[in-house]
């Protein structure tokens, strides 16, 4: 489930085998066949690339929207959309690197981890370089300025550079 997802063909086949074959010794060989097929598909790049392609397509749509808005003189909305796309990518990278995306609260519930914290932890874990970490910090700062009404503190050109930078970051660091 962690590697291919709970709705994958691999997970479905293992579930089917566990239900149809009653004794452990009867389904172990068949399950090993599924695991070997999954391993081979991972080695061949088939599993990873499909998930990453879906993510990149979804994020590309949001970044295209942000770029269009910025070019139409809506830099503030563009900055917020691009920044939200970046934060979603950081969450995906955290999941990929097994870094928690929530922090426990005193009452026992959980709160979403701040984007800055995810950025620091991802760089510390070697998910991407310190240079990328600094770029992400700058983009998050610009997004926060847009989200908090500090519109005069950044320019339309900076938002266009931000969108292009986030696009490049997502391509180089697939989640």
């Amino acid at each position: 489930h962690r590697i291919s997802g709970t709705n994958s063909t691999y997970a479905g086949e293992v579930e089917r085998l566990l239900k149809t074959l009653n004794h452990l010794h009867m389904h172990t060989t068949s399950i090993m066949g599924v695991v070997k097929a999954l391993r081979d598909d991972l080695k061949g790049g088939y599993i990873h690339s499909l998930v990453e392609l879906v993510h990149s397509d979804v994020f590309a749509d949001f970044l295209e929207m942000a770029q269009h808005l910025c070019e139409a003189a809506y830099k503030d909305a563009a900055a917020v959309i691009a920044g939200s796309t970046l934060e979603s990518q950081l969450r995906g990278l955290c999941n990929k690197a097994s870094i928690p995306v929530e922090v426990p609260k005193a009452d026992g519930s959980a709160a979403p981890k701040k984007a800055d914290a995810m950025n620091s932890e991802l760089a510390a874990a070697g998910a991407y370089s310190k240079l990328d970490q600094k770029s992400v910090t700058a983009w998050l700062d610009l997004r926060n300025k847009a989200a908090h009404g500090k519109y005069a503190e950044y320019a339309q050109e900076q938002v266009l550079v931000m969108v292009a930078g986030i696009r490049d970051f997502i391509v180089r660091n697939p989640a």
Side-chain angles (χ1 to χ4, degrees):
H1 290 146
R2 284 184 38 219
I3 294 171
S4 66
T6 56
N7 295 325
S8 71
T9 306
Y10 307 98
E13 182 61 12
V14 169
E15 294 297 325
R16 186 191 69 77
L17 289 168
L18 290 172
K19 287 178 185 173
T20 58
L21 302 172
N22 297 331
H23 303 291
L24 178 63
H25 70 280
M26 294 177 71
H27 56 67
T28 303
T29 304
S30 299
I31 290 175
M32 287 306 299
V34 174
V35 171
K36 287 178 183 178
L38 175 59
R39 182 197 63 201
D40 292 344
D41 286 351
L42 283 168
K43 278 185 178 179
Y46 304 118
I47 303 297
H48 215 29
S49 61
L50 176 62
V51 172
E52 290 169 1
L53 283 173
V54 170
H55 283 171
S56 67
D57 282 348
V58 170
F59 290 147
D61 289 344
F62 283 114
L63 292 174
E64 297 265 336
M65 185 188 321
Q67 183 166 348
H68 175 74
L69 285 169
C70 192
E71 290 169 352
Y74 295 101
K75 70 175 177 66
D76 309 319
V80 171
I81 290 171
S84 296
T85 303
L86 174 62
E87 189 167 346
S88 292
Q89 180 71 4
L90 294 177
R91 288 192 192 292
L93 289 170
C94 281
N95 288 329
K96 184 176 178 179
S98 300
I99 296 172
V101 294
E102 294 182 330
V103 291
K105 293 170 60 175
D107 65 1
S109 64
K113 190 177 283 183
K114 302 274 185 194
D116 283 329
M118 290 187 290
N119 184 29
S120 296
E121 290 179 37
L122 284 163
Y128 49 77
S129 70
K130 293 291 182 184
L131 181 60
D132 278 332
Q133 179 187 11
K134 290 177 183 182
S135 295
V136 169
T137 299
W139 299 327
L140 291 172
D141 183 48
L142 199 157
R143 189 272 315 257
N144 286 339
K145 287 177 181 176
H148 294 102
K150 298 179 181 177
Y151 308 129
E153 294 186 21
Y154 60 94
Q156 178 179 358
E157 294 78 17
Q158 289 173 297
V159 178
L160 286 170
V161 169
M162 172 189 178
V163 170
I166 292 171
R167 182 178 288 116
D168 174 67
F169 176 79
I170 289 172
V171 168
R172 289 184 296 103
N173 300 284

